[in-house]
Amino acid sequence: MGSSLSNLNDGTNGLAMGPSLGDIPESCVASVFMYLTPPEICNLAGLNRSFRGAASSDSVWEKKLPPNYQDLLDLLPPERYHGLSKKDIFALLSRPIPFDDDNKELWIEKVTGRVCMAISARRMVITGIEDRRYWNWMPTEESRFHVVAYLQQIWWFEVDGTVRFHLPPGIYSLSFRIHLGRFTKRLGRRVCHFDHTHGWDVKPVTFSLSTSDGQAASCEYYLEDVEREEALGQHKRGCWIEYRVGEFIVTGSEPTTEIQWSMKQIDCTHSKGGLCVDSVFINPIGDLKDYRKKAFVKQA
C-alpha cells in the first residue's frame, strides 16, 4: 500500500511511467479537501507540492471555520490574529480563548470546527457562597479554570448560571462537571477525603436549562446511589462526573442566544455536603440538518 502510494507520488508505476499525484492540479485537490476534516487535510499536506499548496489555501480553511469565527477573534487582541492565514486562524481558535476575566472559555473542535464553551463556577450564582461555613473556593490544577467551589455542608443547595453569546446554528448539549469528595495531593499522590460527603442519596438533584427562544429541558440524578454503584462496580466518589442536563437548538434566526441553567436540591429536610462544582460545558453535538432530518422522519 505504502509503495503504491509512493509510486503514484513520484510518477513511477512498476516499470512504466504514468500519472502521479503531483499531476493533479492544486485547484482539484482543494476541491477534494473541502470534504475532508482538518486533521485529514494536514496528514495529506506532505504528499507533494500540490497537496501542500491546497492544504494552505484560504478557500479551504474558510469552509472549516465556524460562520461566527470573527466573534471569537474579537475576544483576542487584534495583533494576535491580524495578517494570519485562515489555516493559522483555525489553529489559533482551536486553543481555548479565555474571556470575562478568564472565567469563560471558547474554542473550536479540531475535527468539526464547531464552537464549544466552558463557564467557571465563579461565574455562577451559588446560594451561600459568601459564607465560609458552607462553601470554599479550592485552587486545583484539575480544573481548566484552576479553581472549584467546594461545599462543606448546606441545607438549601442551588447553583444557577447564564451566558449570552452568538453561537453558530446547530444542536448543543449542556452539562455540569462535578465531583463528590474533596481531593488533595500528598507526596505527589492524589488523595480524596469524604468526611463531608453526605445527603446525595436521599433525594435527587434537579438539573434544568432554558433558552431565550423558549426551549427548556430538565432531569434528575441521584449524585450518589451506593447500592446501585456497588452492584455495577462503579463508584462516583473521587471521580469527576459530567451530568448532561439536556439539548437545545440554535437556528441562527437570533443574533445571540441566552442560555440559563440550574442545579438544585432545596428539600430542607436534610443537609448535604462534600461536593465540588467545577464548570458548565456547552458542546455541539450535531448540525441543524441532522435535526431537520429527525423531525422529517417523525412527521412521516
Side-chain angles (χ1 to χ4, degrees):
M1 178 75 179
S3 61
S4 299
L5 194 59
S6 175
N7 290 340
L8 280 173
N9 194 35
D10 61 19
T12 63
N13 187 8
L15 299 174
M17 297 294 292
S20 71
L21 289 177
D23 295 324
I24 304 176
E26 186 177 308
S27 59
C28 293
V29 178
S31 297
V32 174
F33 280 0
M34 297 287 188
Y35 299 94
L36 302 182
T37 65
E40 290 170 339
I41 293 171
C42 293
N43 286 337
L44 291 171
L47 283 177
N48 57 47
R49 186 178 298 174
S50 294
F51 277 66
R52 188 161 50 252
S56 300
S57 169
D58 275 355
S59 62
V60 169
W61 289 96
E62 182 86 37
K63 295 289 186 181
K64 306 304 173 185
L65 287 164
N68 71 328
Y69 75 89
Q70 187 59 51
D71 293 324
L72 277 67
L73 289 176
D74 289 343
L75 299 172
L76 296 167
E79 59 271 17
R80 289 277 306 276
Y81 59 85
H82 275 176
L84 292 181
S85 67
K86 293 295 190 293
K87 179 182 179 181
D88 290 335
I89 288 175
F90 188 97
L92 176 66
L93 297 182
S94 64
R95 296 188 290 271
I97 302 170
F99 65 106
D100 194 7
D101 296 328
D102 295 341
N103 290 306
K104 298 174 185 172
E105 287 185 349
L106 280 163
W107 67 96
I108 60 175
E109 290 183 332
K110 292 181 180 179
V111 174
T112 65
R114 296 169 180 163
V115 176
C116 307
M117 183 184 294
I119 302 96
S120 168
R122 279 200 179 276
R123 273 296 173 263
M124 300 182 207
V125 179
I126 303 176
T127 301
I129 191 66
E130 304 87 1
D131 194 327
R132 296 195 65 180
R133 291 176 301 172
Y134 305 130
W135 289 90
N136 286 292
W137 291 107
M138 189 172 77
T140 174
E141 293 303 311
E142 294 191 15
S143 168
R144 65 191 306 126
F145 297 104
H146 307 294
V147 66
V148 298
Y150 177 69
L151 171 65
Q152 296 185 107
Q153 178 172 297
I154 206 164
W155 294 82
W156 184 290
F157 172 77
E158 185 169 5
V159 179
D160 301 288
T162 183
V163 70
R164 190 175 181 87
F165 194 75
H166 175 207
L167 290 169
I171 308 171
Y172 295 83
S173 71
L174 184 144
S175 58
F176 273 88
R177 185 174 187 258
I178 57 182
H179 182 285
L180 281 176
R182 181 182 182 123
F183 49 88
T184 58
K185 275 195 173 181
R186 184 181 300 164
L187 301 177
R189 296 182 61 187
R190 187 180 192 267
V191 180
C192 285
H193 307 277
F194 305 109
D195 43 329
H196 295 143
T197 305
H198 69 284
W200 304 111
D201 56 344
V202 179
K203 293 287 180 67
V205 174
T206 301
F207 296 82
S208 64
L209 73 85
S210 62
T211 64
S212 50
D213 61 357
Q215 299 178 73
S218 65
C219 58
E220 291 186 338
Y221 295 104
Y222 281 92
L223 300 192
E224 190 164 42
D225 188 341
V226 177
E227 290 185 6
R228 185 172 183 274
E229 290 168 18
E230 287 180 351
L232 295 174
Q234 301 171 345
H235 298 280
K236 294 179 181 177
R237 285 191 172 198
C239 300
W240 284 106
I241 306 291
E242 286 194 19
Y243 287 89
R244 186 162 169 170
V245 181
E247 303 173 2
F248 62 93
I249 299 164
V250 177
T251 61
S253 58
E254 299 291 334
T256 59
T257 302
E258 182 176 280
I259 306 104
Q260 298 180 337
W261 60 85
S262 74
M263 173 174 61
K264 62 180 70 173
Q265 215 288 29
I266 56 177
D267 183 341
C268 293
T269 60
H270 68 285
S271 66
K272 36 263 173 188
L275 178 78
C276 295
V277 180
D278 174 28
S279 54
V280 157
F281 284 89
I282 297 173
N283 290 316
I285 58 173
D287 294 323
L288 272 184
K289 60 183 180 182
D290 300 328
Y291 168 74
R292 290 170 181 148
K293 195 178 296 182
K294 288 180 182 178
F296 176 77
V297 171
K298 286 181 180 179
Q299 289 176 1

